[in-house]
Amino acid sequence: LIQATVADAERFEKTKHEDDVRRLLELKRSTDAVFSSVSRAVAVKKAARDRKARRRAEEAAELLARGENPHLTFRRRDAQAKAARDARRTRDAHESRLAEIKQRLAREERELDRRERAAEKVKRTELYFKEGLGAKAQQRRDAARISGVAPKNAHDAKVLRHPDAAPLESLLTTREMALREKYPLQKSEDSSPGRGVARRGRDLVGVASLSAEYEPNWNAPAVATGATEEPPARGQERDVGEDDASSVARSEALRLELASSSDGVDAAALDAAEAAERRARAKKVADIENARLLAVAARRAADPTRLYRKQVTCGRVFEGDAFAPSPRVVAFDDFVVGKKYTRKVTLTNVSYAASTFRVLPFEDHAHATVLDVSYEHPGKMSAGMSHVIYVTFAPKALVPLDAYLPLSTTTGVTFVPIECRPRVADVRVVANELDFGEVVVGESVALVAELRNEGAAATPFVLLRSLLDGDEKETKESEKKEVFKVRVRGAGRVRDDGSTVSAAEGIVPGYGSVFLDVTFAPGDPRLTEGRCFVELGDVSPFRETSDVSEKKSSSEKSQRLVLYFRGVGAPPPVHLGGRDVCDFETVALGCAYRQVLEVRNRGRVAARVSVTPPATLVGALDILPDACFVQPGSLSRFSLKFKPDETLFSRFSENGSPSGRALEVAIEETCLLRIRGRDAPVPFAIRARVTRSDVSFDPPVLDFGDVPLGERGVLQLRVTNGGAIAQKFGVCGPERREMDVSEGDVSIAPSRFGEMLGFETVSLDVGFAPKVVGEKVFCVTLKSLLGAREFKIPCKGWGVNPVLEFENGGNILTLPPTAPREASSGSVFLLNPSPTLERTFEIVLGDETTRRGLRVAPHVATLAPGERKRVRFEFCPPEVEEPRVSGETDASETGETTETSPDLAGRGETETEEDSPNDARPESFRVAMFVKNTRSLRLAAMGGETPAHMLEAPSEIPPAAEEKVSTQHIEVRTATHAPAIRVLNLPEYRRDAESDAGSGDASAIAADAADA
């Protein structure tokens, strides 16, 4: 019922709003039309005045030129024109008055003529009546007139003669004739006989109106009157014409009718039996007619409009209710049982003429028990007059009531609506669907939802976040996202009573409102829909009752309202083209790296954007420009320069390396692209892995010790890349100021240039070849292309004279290329330059060198002072060799090394004889030779006596040098190639053939052996 009432109220408000809008539009159109009409009239008048003013200005110039006064001339002309207008107006008025008088005289003449003709007609009728009926009829007529039965004039006589005839027009006034033409009379059953018959009795009226369907011959002229032709009196026999016969018949019928009894039958002419039969027949017909008349009366009584008529005033017909109530609806709002309420209702006559009203009883008896109407009967009220009635309402139950107070007026029944509403809480959501439209991701928009209580009772409410009971999963997801947030306005505010406004619950006061703030903050560019339930408390009216069950049922009543939300998360107009990470990847300390950040604008207006580096990257990240404008549909670029330093590295390093220094750290910080006029910036990440670009050396200092002149001391230097980025390097030095070319030479093997991968260690062979005797301290510089850094490697060494000298080419022996199982040999000559000391040398070959086929003889020998010795080297590579890595060295305890060519060492490849059988493979052997003085040994053998040649120069050998062992090296260079001819009849080849036969090649080997 409440919803129906609310719907009716909404329809009423909507209808009223539409009516108001229509009236306003009509008023506007009429106002515009009047304004345009007035504007046109004013414009016409103004144009006429302007033309008149121009003409008068021209004429005034001419009058002044002739010497006349224009003012007097124009004034005289205006006075003449005014007099002409007044004369013309007077003449027109006189002529109209004359025409009106002529028309009135013509009407009066026509009325007089009509009256004269009517009087003449009456006279003729009277004369005709008098002549036609005779003297006796005249006497009876006079007697009947005196008694009130006979017709008093020609009109009544005509009615008697012609019952169905209409009244004489001559006797009607002009007003009556006009009304008769406008409202023509309709023939009815009870009006057909005329005035004279109506005065005779109701039975005759019914009998006279019967048709021939009851008794076709009963109401014939002879039978109806029962008259017979009266014989003429004596001496009065004469021939009677048609007119006389008809007049005599009519007069005789009138006489018989007047002389008849109440049932219309002449008792004197009939006998008693015939009279009784006729009376029974008449009674039967009368009963039938009376039944018909009663049915007609009942039908008319059932018509509620029988008592009402249309109101016509000045030719205008009034339609609608004659009385308008004020107020239009008698409302008893918020009533309580046990009290009486009275409302005053003013009824105003809004019809065209005088009218009255009467209060009718209520149609429903239940309404009459609680509603009472009191008033004084006003009588006839003129149009526009008002009268007051009082409606009293005494409620007996808290139920809504809708009733109508009926008023009987002149034009019909008017109903005054009565509405009775108890004190309840009628809470509704004014707009339960909130559409946020498009909201840029990262921003928020707030709308207001109103909970309006149209009842008098306050009710509590609670906001429920859960969508439905049991939907825990969906509830958790919605709470996690929190796209829509609903809060009671003023949440957290302290009321006057000390309580705090809750964000999720409250009370809606009677006839008041509570506002809910709904915030939409999209996180993704997509359509999002949601809803929130408003759980209302007891919405039933308050009532005092002792019934416990009734109280319980009243408290359990509740209502749930739903708020629907809808919003679309729109991507920001300024974006990075889908790029959310600016990744510098792996960077090194001290190096600068650049990235270009493109900012695009998909909006319709230019946007001012700025990029500010995060606080943790200040000083290491430079952004140019600071701000710029991005035009619609265009893009702008920001240049990001990232140069990490040690401070940044230590700030982000968390776990140290075993050596105490972190090798690399990961950096990921959020940077914001801010747009002027928008709260939500566009975030993007700055990501990088910062590593060091340091290079470490093992050993940190190269000490070559004593290096004989003509030889090269070689030390292995391990260079380690301390960062994760590959570095290209080059080794330079030493500088000329440290060591000149004439003083010595430094060599780097396998090459002075190379590349180190991240955290890789590269081995370099650094050789020092002094050319002068003495100590040399110098530095070798390693330059890296990563940050253009330079690293110094301290070096030192002593250039000393060799203990044993090499003749004929120095300590380098070159042998020709040798095939497997072939031999090549060469010799070097050693010379002991000392004139006093004997020296013993030992040449040590490692296992790897021996396996590869290098032999030397002699291994050990003692050279007397000035003695020369030949040392023979023989190289015989074996037939089959296992694969080995090119560049591998065999560093035994003796210090002897085996080397390959620089090309293979640089590639680090693995080769065997089978891989390249036709190519010569370079071989290089660096053989260590240990030399020691043998003076103390010789003295012991001679029994303690010192030879004379040893006593000649005792000061040239220090005491400490007698026990010192010197090391010198002999470098053997050769190559290994595949044999051109292979010998198969050797015993070892037979064993190889037999072993090959076991593998399936025995027949081929046997055939080769037979051929051999």
Side-chain angles (χ1 to χ4, degrees), residues 948-963:
H949 66 275
M950 293 183 179
L951 297 176
E952 295 178 358
S955 60
E956 67 173 273
I957 302 174
E962 294 182 358
E963 301 297 333

Side-chain angles (χ1 to χ4, degrees), residues 12 89 291 305 351 390 407 468 499 733 847 859 863 880 950 952:
F12 173 75
R89 190 181 300 108
T305 62
S351 63
Y390 294 92
L407 300 176
L468 290 174
S499 60
D847 296 339
H859 284 279
L863 298 179
V880 179
M950 293 183 179
E952 295 178 358

Side-chain angles (χ1 to χ4, degrees), residues 11 103 141 297-298 373 456 536 543 677 758 781 890:
R11 285 195 299 271
Q103 292 178 0
R141 177 174 174 271
V373 182
L536 301 178
R543 50 182 173 180
T781 304
D890 182 16

Side-chain angles (χ1 to χ4, degrees), residues 68 77 94 176 186 292 331 459 474 541 588 621 689 721 830 834 905 922 951 972 986 1004:
E68 298 180 3
R77 188 181 301 170
H94 179 67
E176 291 175 349
Q186 298 179 357
R292 186 184 65 83
T459 180
E474 192 172 0
L621 181 64
R689 295 185 64 85
N721 184 3
L830 300 179
S834 174
L951 297 176
V972 179
L986 295 178

Side-chain angles (χ1 to χ4, degrees), residues 895-919:
E896 183 249 358
T897 60
T898 303
E899 297 180 354
T900 60
S901 65
D903 295 338
L904 293 178
R907 292 196 302 267
E909 298 176 351
T910 301
E911 292 187 359
T912 61
E913 184 179 356
E914 296 177 358
D915 294 335
S916 55
N918 299 323
D919 296 334

Side-chain angles (χ1 to χ4, degrees), residues 979-998:
I981 299 174
R982 186 176 182 182
V983 181
L984 299 178
N985 57 354
L986 295 178
E988 55 268 24
Y989 280 99
R990 292 192 185 97
R991 289 193 299 270
D992 295 339
E994 292 175 357
S995 61
D996 292 341

Side-chain angles (χ1 to χ4, degrees), residues 327-623:
R328 297 180 59 183
V329 179
V330 182
F332 296 92
D333 296 331
D334 306 331
F335 66 81
V336 180
V337 176
K339 294 184 179 180
K340 287 187 177 181
Y341 304 89
T342 302
R343 297 289 183 268
K344 175 183 176 182
V345 182
T346 303
L347 299 176
T348 304
N349 184 6
V350 295
S351 63
Y352 297 153
S355 183
T356 186
F357 70 89
R358 180 171 59 90
V359 177
L360 301 178
F362 289 97
E363 296 179 357
D364 192 349
H365 177 71
H367 297 168
T369 58
V370 295
L371 293 172
D372 184 25
V373 182
S374 61
Y375 73 104
E376 295 181 0
H377 195 278
K380 281 195 175 184
M381 300 169 54
S382 300
M385 299 299 291
S386 301
H387 191 70
V388 177
I389 65 174
Y390 294 92
V391 182
T392 303
F393 175 55
K396 298 180 180 180
L398 282 174
V399 293
L401 178 65
D402 290 328
Y404 293 94
L405 176 63
L407 300 176
S408 177
T409 63
T410 306
T411 59
V413 180
T414 301
F415 295 94
V416 179
I418 300 176
E419 294 181 357
C420 305
R421 298 291 180 266
R423 180 178 296 176
V424 295
D426 185 9
V427 182
R428 66 182 181 91
V429 182
V430 175
N432 64 337
E433 294 184 1
L434 299 180
D435 190 355
F436 291 86
E438 290 190 357
V439 181
V440 177
V441 174
E443 298 183 0
S444 61
V445 174
L447 294 181
V448 180
E450 180 182 0
L451 296 179
R452 183 181 297 174
N453 188 359
E454 297 181 352
T459 180
F461 70 93
V462 178
L463 299 178
L464 301 180
R465 288 188 177 182
S466 60
L467 300 180
L468 290 174
D469 296 338
D471 292 350
E472 298 180 357
K473 182 178 180 181
E474 192 172 0
T475 301
K476 292 180 180 179
E477 292 180 357
S478 61
E479 291 179 356
K480 184 178 181 180
K481 295 179 181 178
E482 290 186 349
V483 178
F484 297 99
K485 295 182 180 179
V486 185
R487 292 171 56 88
V488 179
R489 176 171 290 184
R493 180 175 55 85
V494 180
R495 299 189 182 94
D496 297 337
D497 56 357
S499 60
T500 304
V501 178
S502 176
E505 60 183 11
I507 298 177
V508 184
Y511 297 111
S513 299
V514 171
F515 297 96
L516 305 178
D517 295 330
V518 184
T519 305
F520 175 52
D524 300 324
R526 60 185 180 87
L527 173 64
T528 306
E529 295 180 352
R531 58 180 177 174
C532 174
F533 285 97
V534 181
E535 186 76 24
L536 301 178
D538 184 12
V539 297
S540 62
F542 173 80
R543 50 182 173 180
E544 297 180 358
T545 177
S546 59
D547 191 354
V548 179
S549 61
E550 191 174 0
K551 287 184 178 180
K552 183 177 180 181
S553 62
S554 176
S555 61
E556 289 177 354
K557 293 181 180 179
S558 62
Q559 184 179 357
R560 174 174 288 186
L561 305 178
V562 186
L563 284 173
Y564 295 95
F565 313 129
R566 182 180 183 275
V568 179
V574 177
H575 60 100
L576 301 177
R579 182 180 183 183
D580 56 354
V581 176
C582 185
D583 194 355
F584 287 92
E585 297 179 352
T586 305
V587 297
L589 291 179
C591 299
Y593 300 86
R594 295 183 183 273
Q595 288 275 359
V596 176
L597 184 66
E598 292 185 354
V599 181
R600 301 177 183 272
N601 186 3
R602 65 165 64 95
R604 298 181 179 179
V605 296
R608 184 182 185 276
V609 297
S610 60
V611 182
T612 304
T616 55
L617 299 181
V618 173
L621 181 64
D622 296 334
I623 301 176

